[in-house]
Amino acid sequence: MKNFTAKIITFVPRSICATIIYVKTALMDEILKYFPELTDTQKEQFTRLEALYHDWNAKINVISRKDIDQLYTKHVLHSLAIAKVQPFAPGTYVLDVGTGGGFPGIPLAILFPETRFYLIDVILKKINVVKAVAEALGLQNVKAEQMRAENAKGDFDFIVSRAVTNMPDFVSWVKEKIKKQQKHELKNGILYLKGGDLTDELRDFPKATEYNIADFFADEFFETKKVVHLPLKFKP
């Protein structure tokens, strides 16, 4: 008697498939609305973020459980707000401090393939996720390491982050890591994603400029969100 191998085939209703395709298309439409000149490669990379982060989040709590379903708004677009304030020229070198699962560094690295990004975080498991995501997307412009900001080596055009601490402490970590040569409209320094009333926090930084993200993106999530630019002087 011949041996037969039984195969279990799972059928997914067309309605569910259609919903998934619609959601992914809607998410990409949201990105394209604000960044219409993406290449096909960039579109594919942004689209793949959802599956990659959902997969990793099931293994490691990289992103808040309540936020993972709003990945493109609360993480991807939020990260890309920095690009609306200052697009990065080819050859720019950017340090992302406290990157967590790769924000804002990964979305910015997709958008600016000719900019080098150095993503650091003190939590090794998160850095391992960043490395895996960057490899899966083929991002040759991303380097990720477990490291404290104070120990990072190099001079950077800009240092980016998402509210890892208050501005005075953050400045103390990175103030000696800025390049001397300027190549952008904004002076070299910090581009910081923050929220709420920053009056007290920025009191000692009169050169800081706040940019309201709601001026760039329509979603109500951004109503109180800001990009703060703080120029820093090169220190040999």
Side-chain angles (χ1 to χ4, degrees):
M1 181 181 292
K2 292 183 179 180
N3 293 325
F4 293 93
T5 301
K7 293 184 179 180
I8 300 174
I9 301 175
T10 302
F11 292 95
V12 179
R14 289 184 179 181
S15 59
I16 294 177
C17 290
T19 300
I20 293 171
I21 293 171
Y22 172 77
V23 170
K24 287 190 174 182
T25 301
L27 292 171
M28 272 313 303
D29 285 347
E30 190 73 4
I31 299 288
L32 288 169
K33 180 168 70 174
Y34 300 114
F35 299 93
E37 297 180 359
L38 296 180
T39 66
D40 289 342
T41 296
Q42 289 170 319
K43 292 175 187 177
E44 180 185 1
Q45 289 169 328
F46 277 122
T47 300
R48 292 185 63 194
L49 287 178
E50 183 181 30
L52 284 169
Y53 278 107
H54 270 83
D55 180 56
W56 276 107
N57 225 49
K59 307 169 188 174
I60 301 170
N61 190 20
V62 180
I63 295 172
S64 168
R65 303 293 187 192
K66 62 184 177 65
D67 285 350
I68 189 64
D69 290 333
Q70 299 183 62
L71 176 73
Y72 282 87
T73 299
K74 293 189 174 182
H75 296 277
V76 178
L77 268 182
H78 192 204
S79 298
L80 295 178
I82 289 173
K84 290 296 187 181
V85 172
Q86 179 59 72
F88 296 138
T92 300
Y93 195 17
V94 176
L95 174 66
D96 179 1
V97 173
T99 189
F103 301 97
I106 291 291
L108 290 171
I110 294 173
L111 191 64
F112 299 108
E114 296 182 5
T115 291
R116 290 186 299 146
F117 291 87
Y118 186 23
L119 281 57
I120 62 173
D121 199 284
V122 296
I123 301 176
L124 180 58
K125 67 179 182 179
K126 292 186 176 181
I127 286 298
N128 287 338
V129 172
V130 173
K131 289 179 178 179
V133 170
E135 182 178 0
L137 296 176
L139 295 176
Q140 301 297 316
N141 58 335
V142 170
K143 178 181 178 181
E145 288 188 313
Q146 181 191 23
M147 186 176 297
R148 296 181 62 86
E150 301 94 319
N151 298 329
K153 304 296 183 184
D155 294 328
F156 304 89
D157 297 279
F158 292 102
I159 298 170
V160 302
S161 191
R162 287 207 306 174
V164 293
T165 187
N166 61 73
M167 186 64 85
D169 286 345
F170 192 75
V171 171
S172 72
W173 296 348
V174 303
K175 61 185 178 183
E176 297 181 356
K177 305 182 189 302
I178 298 298
K179 271 187 182 179
K180 182 177 183 180
Q181 182 182 4
Q182 306 277 338
K183 65 172 85 172
H184 294 86
E185 181 179 349
L186 295 184
K187 291 183 178 180
N188 293 357
I190 293 169
L191 290 167
Y192 209 25
L193 292 164
K194 296 281 283 184
D197 186 351
L198 304 176
T199 303
D200 290 339
E201 186 171 337
L202 298 179
R203 191 179 306 281
D204 294 332
F205 304 101
K207 293 184 179 180
T209 303
E210 298 179 44
Y211 297 86
N212 294 317
I213 298 179
D215 292 340
F216 311 124
F217 305 144
D219 194 283
E220 64 180 12
F221 169 73
F222 299 112
E223 286 181 2
T224 62
K225 301 293 188 291
K226 300 169 185 178
V227 178
V228 179
H229 172 244
L230 178 63
L232 294 177
K233 290 184 179 180
F234 167 75
K235 292 186 178 182

